[in-house]
Amino acid sequence: MRQSQLFTRTVKELPKDETSYNAQTLIRAGFIDKVAAGVYSYLPLGKRVLDKICRVIREEMDVIGGQEILMTSLIPKEYLEATDRWENFDVLFRLKGGDNKEYALGATHEEIVTPLAKKFILSYKDLPFSVYQIQTKFRNEKRAKAGLMRGREFLMKDMYSFHTDQADLDAYYDRAVGAYNKIFQRLGLGEITYFTYAAGGTFSKYSHEFQTISDAGEDLIYVCNHCHIAINKEIIAEQSACPQCGNKELAEKKAIEVGNIFKLGTKFSGSFNVVYKDDEGHDNQAVMGCYGIGPSRVMGTIVETFHDDKGLIWPENIAPYKIHLLSLGENEAAASVYADLIAAGFEVLFDDREISAGEKFADADLIGCPYRVLVSKKTLVAASVEIKRRSDDTSSLVAIKDLMAYWK
Ligand code: ATP
Ligand code: MG
């Protein structure tokens, strides 16, 4: 992408009411635009990052057999009445349709997915299966001051699994935990993300969260460093030692809840009467699990985790572009390097704008692509480019003829 063609720019003016580091920096760097508290548009650079996060999540859901669907954002009132959530779900946005029927904007989708699954579940032969979607959710959050971390409109991957019995759910749930661990590893958050015991289990005693250690977090967790698991503060009174090794010396940390998984049991299959015939012809209730993760909150978490005082430092596999190519008054030579890199399959943002070197450096640091490649009079004298990793202070000269081999 030629930066001169990008319709956005880095910006100096911040919305006055934006206090979170992640949203401030993403707005300044031109990744997102603020429309209202907790409501953001994704601009070309931000959309690329969000898509890459979603791609990682999608791949790991597919590995454990998740089938991707897209459910409705409008949820008719009677669906939510069936589970008593029309009245009792405090963050619901409710609205009236032209037919005078009432709807909620989807905040979660158990009430849509359960009756949907019911249409296809007749006998035990139809089970198990799991479906997921990546979709915009709407929640009228009271406080929406944490930028992407707590949107009123935000992206969620929500997966739902259907089983004949608890044992089958338990086995699948463990596979889902494995998939989640893989996702956070691939996103560069593996070491600081903890499988966490939390309250809120509807069927089993606990639900489980994936919590990423961060000073920007709203949650407090207690970490066991032997087992790499944690306990949410909500349940520390009843569970004060590590559930795996019994360790009582747990470290208190602030953390961001990036994922949340539940064994729902028959709570929703009961409300919608989802039954299947077992091999003896008896009716049984299907057993369910649900598995959520917030790609936009994950993006905010990555920003809070990987930055310095100059700007963003994207992990390589979700950076908007791997290479930020800067031309200092040498657009012709730089364009030829650009063409070679593109032809070799690299993702490149090419700063071909007519602005000062200082502004180009500042923008490159703010935008945070992993590699800065500089073409200037000085580098060309040595038939070279200068390469600097965003995460390093030092740079090196690399001969243009050796450039493709540099990343091999
Ligand atoms: P929280 O406890 O932070 O309010 P939750 O427990 O209500 O979140 P779930 O309903 O389990 O969240 O949603 C699944 C995932 O969706 C969360 O783990 C989080 O990553 C993401 N998520 C939830 N609410 C928001 C929000 N307001 N903005 C951005 N992401 C969110
Ligand atoms: Mg939660």
Side-chain angles (χ1 to χ4, degrees):
M1 178 81 203
R2 282 177 178 264
Q3 219 168 327
S4 59
Q5 304 297 307
L6 204 59
F7 90 92
T8 58
R9 286 185 278 287
T10 57
V11 299
K12 299 216 163 51
E13 283 288 301
L14 279 179
K16 281 187 206 60
D17 56 349
E18 186 57 69
T19 52
S20 74
Y21 174 82
N22 68 84
Q24 280 184 352
T25 313
L26 288 168
I27 291 168
R28 279 177 49 219
F31 284 61
I32 62 172
D33 180 61
K34 181 169 189 165
V35 174
V39 182
Y40 301 91
S41 296
Y42 289 79
L43 308 180
L45 297 176
K47 177 71 163 56
R48 288 178 72 92
V49 172
L50 193 61
D51 282 350
K52 288 185 179 185
I53 293 171
C54 289
R55 191 182 309 156
V56 168
I57 295 171
R58 196 173 262 126
E59 283 172 8
E60 297 303 332
M61 293 300 98
D62 291 348
V63 167
I64 58 168
Q67 301 177 39
E68 186 167 4
I69 60 174
L70 182 59
M71 291 183 270
T72 64
S73 286
L74 287 172
I75 305 187
K77 179 180 181 179
E78 62 267 24
Y79 285 72
L80 288 152
E81 282 176 333
T83 58
D84 251 356
R85 287 211 282 195
W86 176 261
E87 296 291 348
N88 296 322
F89 203 163
D90 58 345
V91 293
L92 274 190
F93 279 104
R94 301 175 182 82
L95 56 150
K96 224 175 219 135
D99 48 6
N100 251 348
K101 273 182 67 164
E102 288 183 276
Y103 297 86
L105 292 177
T108 179
H109 279 74
E110 285 83 0
E111 283 86 350
I112 296 293
V113 80
T114 313
L116 166 68
K118 180 183 162 85
K119 293 179 184 165
F120 301 100
I121 297 173
L122 298 172
S123 87
Y124 69 95
K125 291 182 186 152
D126 300 316
L127 294 166
F129 65 89
S130 61
V131 296
Y132 74 94
Q133 62 174 351
I134 296 179
Q135 187 201 38
T136 299
K137 296 278 193 270
F138 301 88
R139 292 187 183 179
N140 197 0
E141 304 274 5
K142 300 269 164 323
R143 288 181 313 118
K145 290 192 172 158
L148 296 193
M149 239 77 94
R150 189 166 292 287
R152 293 205 162 100
E153 162 179 338
F154 61 95
L155 214 54
M156 194 195 288
K157 184 283 298 173
D158 42 334
M159 181 164 81
Y160 306 87
S161 67
F162 296 82
H163 308 268
T164 50
D165 53 43
Q166 179 71 26
D168 197 54
L169 166 63
D170 289 348
Y172 191 73
Y173 195 84
D174 290 346
R175 290 180 68 202
V177 170
Y180 270 54
N181 284 331
K182 198 79 184 293
I183 289 168
F184 295 116
Q185 269 163 28
R186 289 180 63 185
L187 296 174
L189 296 173
E191 269 177 41
I192 53 168
T193 301
Y194 287 78
F195 178 72
T196 303
Y197 288 73
T202 46
F203 191 69
S204 56
K205 194 167 174 200
Y206 303 122
S207 75
H208 297 101
E209 296 168 343
F210 290 80
Q211 292 273 3
T212 304
I213 305 294
S214 169
D215 284 338
E218 295 179 345
D219 289 11
L220 273 183
I221 62 168
Y222 294 84
V223 166
C224 171
N225 281 319
H226 301 161
C227 305
H228 202 83
I229 65 168
I231 303 168
N232 194 302
K233 184 177 169 83
E234 297 169 317
I235 64 160
I236 194 75
E238 58 175 294
Q239 178 68 57
S240 58
C242 171
Q244 272 178 35
C245 74
N247 174 18
K248 289 200 161 140
E249 291 183 11
L250 307 174
E252 185 183 281
K253 304 269 184 200
K254 284 173 99 175
I256 300 165
E257 181 206 303
V258 284
N260 200 179
I261 62 177
F262 287 82
K263 291 180 183 174
L264 296 172
T266 54
K267 182 177 156 80
F268 291 94
S269 54
S271 301
F272 293 99
N273 195 30
V274 184
V275 293
Y276 69 90
K277 290 225 182 297
D278 65 20
D279 55 0
E280 291 170 351
H282 300 304
D283 282 345
N284 287 282
Q285 224 144 53
V287 174
M288 288 173 63
C290 76
Y291 316 83
I293 190 168
S296 48
R297 183 179 287 183
V298 166
M299 182 166 161
T301 303
I302 288 168
V303 170
E304 296 285 349
T305 306
F306 303 110
H307 67 263
D308 62 15
D309 55 5
K310 298 195 186 94
L312 304 163
I313 306 176
W314 293 106
E316 204 158 316
N317 56 349
I318 59 151
Y321 293 91
K322 177 171 174 149
I323 297 167
H324 201 160
L325 175 66
L326 272 53
S327 157
L328 299 192
E330 297 294 340
N331 271 8
E332 212 171 302
S336 135
V337 171
Y338 177 58
D340 289 349
L341 287 169
I342 295 289
F346 289 103
E347 295 182 317
V348 187
L349 180 62
F350 174 24
D351 194 347
D352 58 342
R353 298 172 299 169
E354 309 274 331
I355 57 170
S356 74
E359 285 173 282
K360 289 195 181 189
F361 289 136
D363 274 5
D365 282 340
L366 180 56
I367 290 170
C369 297
Y371 294 92
R372 189 186 76 190
V373 174
L374 184 69
V375 178
S376 69
K377 196 161 265 133
K378 214 169 97 192
T379 69
L380 290 175
V381 168
S384 297
V385 297
E386 182 205 272
I387 302 185
K388 181 185 158 311
R389 288 191 73 141
R390 176 64 181 84
S391 53
D392 287 349
D393 289 331
T394 52
S395 58
S396 55
L397 276 185
V398 175
I400 292 175
K401 67 174 173 38
D402 300 332
L403 188 54
M404 301 307 147
Y406 178 85
W407 285 283
K408 289 269 154 57

